[in-house]
Amino acid sequence: MKLIFMGTPEFAVPSLKKLLEAGHEVFAVFTQPDRPVGRKQIVTPPPVKVLAVERGIPVYQPTKIKTAEARAEIEPLFQTTDAGIVAAYGRILPEWMLAAPRLGCINVHSSLLPKYRGAAPINWAIACGETETGVTIMQMDAGMDTGAMLLQGKAAIGERETSAELTPRLAELGAGLLVETLAKLERGELTPIPQNDADATYAPILKREDGQVNWVLTATEIYNRQRGFTPFPGCYTFLDDQRLELIGIAAAAASEDARNLHFGTVCEVQKDSFSIVCGGNTILRVMEVQPAGKRVMPVRDFLNGAKLAIGTTFKSVEVAQA
């Protein structure tokens, strides 16, 4: 097929590679503009752009796609293609762009739709304690991930797996499904399946404050959020006004004594760990931390300076749910 590819981060790279390996003609790549990255704020091209340049594919990085000027420039290009392929592009497409290709626009979405529609499906699936997720190849419409489903593939989520570890697995799964979808579309073997909106859930974009611990949650819920929110926004709390990133943590049942303490209170201090009271008669055992401005360190080293004691209380906040 003659295709336009729209994608930006590492998640989209396997899809573009698979399309090229399968012999499709990707004659244009749309991706987000180059952005400053890291502490030194070095302007860096998106991963999809890097691959496209390597393969000699023309790259477009419009800052706006919903203006009349953008439509006048871009629409003729889309009208010459069989399908637009979207994998984590990072923009909501206007309706004229969705309708311009012969087969419309096809999205690689990293969840088992209709669950976890939105910008951060992998993160929220883990944070919500799911044991299974997957990828849906979807015919895009004007709604937020509401289009008819073409193919789905499932993947188990490991008990300790983080979003950073799960994302590349789903990217490869989605790339394979995408190529299979296009082959079946060409042969007329696919029937789009409408989503059941009643079963839909929403996975909003992550904000920095989503990482702050609410100690009313159970220890397992906090642990799941840490896995889902790694590397961003992480899992952190405040001791007085000092931010403390929780790195190595585990959930456990609370003792009778701990159940009488307020949520967020230190109930146990040992040589290599300390424990904090959480909701649901549970405690969160902390083995590794990163104080603000310092390296990741074992609790043994942290306790040398922090002098943490039973009864110390960490701050708590209310948190968003998917």
Side-chain angles (χ1 to χ4, degrees):
M1 287 187 183
K2 190 176 180 182
L3 305 173
I4 289 176
F5 187 85
M6 291 168 275
T8 299
E10 286 289 348
F11 176 82
V13 170
S15 287
L16 179 54
K17 282 184 177 177
K18 287 280 187 183
L19 291 174
L20 297 172
E21 290 170 4
H24 292 289
E25 180 193 354
V26 180
F27 69 97
V29 163
F30 281 68
T31 189
Q32 294 274 8
D34 298 359
R35 308 266 192 219
V37 173
R39 289 187 176 182
K40 296 184 178 179
Q41 293 291 281
I42 297 173
V43 176
T44 304
V48 164
K49 178 182 178 181
V50 173
L51 175 60
V53 171
E54 286 177 359
R55 303 299 177 91
I57 304 171
V59 175
Y60 297 80
Q61 295 178 282
T63 55
K64 295 180 180 179
I65 58 175
K66 292 186 175 180
T67 63
E69 293 78 11
R71 180 173 183 174
E73 180 181 354
I74 297 171
E75 190 172 26
L77 193 67
F78 275 70
Q79 288 172 332
T80 65
T81 188
D82 291 313
I85 305 299
V86 181
Y89 177 37
R91 292 186 186 278
I92 296 175
L93 305 188
E95 291 190 40
W96 61 260
M97 188 178 283
L98 297 175
R102 178 175 64 87
L103 297 173
C105 290
I106 295 168
N107 181 229
V108 183
H109 185 79
S110 51
S111 83
L112 296 174
L113 290 172
K115 296 189 73 174
Y116 300 107
R117 294 172 176 172
I122 299 174
N123 307 88
W124 284 109
I126 296 175
C128 292
E130 301 283 358
T131 58
E132 182 181 70
T133 185
V135 175
T136 303
I137 309 299
M138 175 190 66
Q139 185 73 58
M140 297 179 73
D141 63 14
M144 173 66 80
D145 301 325
T146 55
M149 301 178 292
L150 299 172
L151 277 183
Q152 277 192 331
K154 295 182 178 179
I157 301 176
E159 291 183 1
R160 298 183 179 182
E161 195 166 25
T162 68
S163 61
E165 295 164 340
L166 178 58
T167 297
R169 285 209 296 126
L170 294 185
E172 292 294 337
L173 174 63
L177 284 172
L178 175 62
V179 171
E180 182 181 350
T181 299
L182 295 182
K184 289 185 174 180
L185 278 175
E186 277 188 319
R187 298 195 296 266
E189 295 176 358
L190 281 181
T191 302
I193 301 172
Q195 296 186 41
N196 183 352
D197 292 338
D199 293 335
T201 60
Y202 183 56
I205 192 169
L206 291 173
K207 303 183 294 295
R208 191 170 299 280
E209 53 267 33
D210 291 326
Q212 186 168 351
V213 174
N214 177 0
W215 297 107
V216 174
L217 299 179
T218 70
T220 297
E221 289 172 329
I222 295 169
Y223 176 64
N224 289 339
R225 291 176 72 93
Q226 186 222 30
R227 294 190 298 123
F229 299 163
T230 297
F232 177 85
C235 176
Y236 62 91
T237 186
F238 286 92
L239 181 58
D240 297 324
D241 291 328
Q242 296 297 311
R243 176 180 165 126
L244 186 68
E245 192 82 20
L246 306 180
I247 306 296
I249 59 177
S255 66
E256 285 295 330
D257 290 341
R259 293 178 186 184
N260 295 322
L261 297 174
H262 291 294
F263 305 132
T265 302
V266 174
C267 61
E268 182 182 76
V269 180
Q270 298 185 344
K271 182 179 179 182
D272 296 321
S273 69
F274 62 88
S275 299
I276 305 169
V277 177
C278 307
N281 295 325
T282 62
I283 59 172
L284 190 75
R285 184 159 291 130
V286 182
M287 293 80 71
E288 194 175 43
V289 297
Q290 184 175 22
K294 298 184 179 179
R295 62 177 175 81
V296 175
M297 62 180 68
V299 160
R300 181 191 321 113
D301 296 345
F302 172 69
L303 292 176
N304 287 335
K307 308 299 182 187
L308 208 64
I310 293 174
T312 302
T313 301
F314 287 91
K315 286 184 179 178
S316 186
V317 293
E318 294 185 0
V319 296
Q321 301 286 344

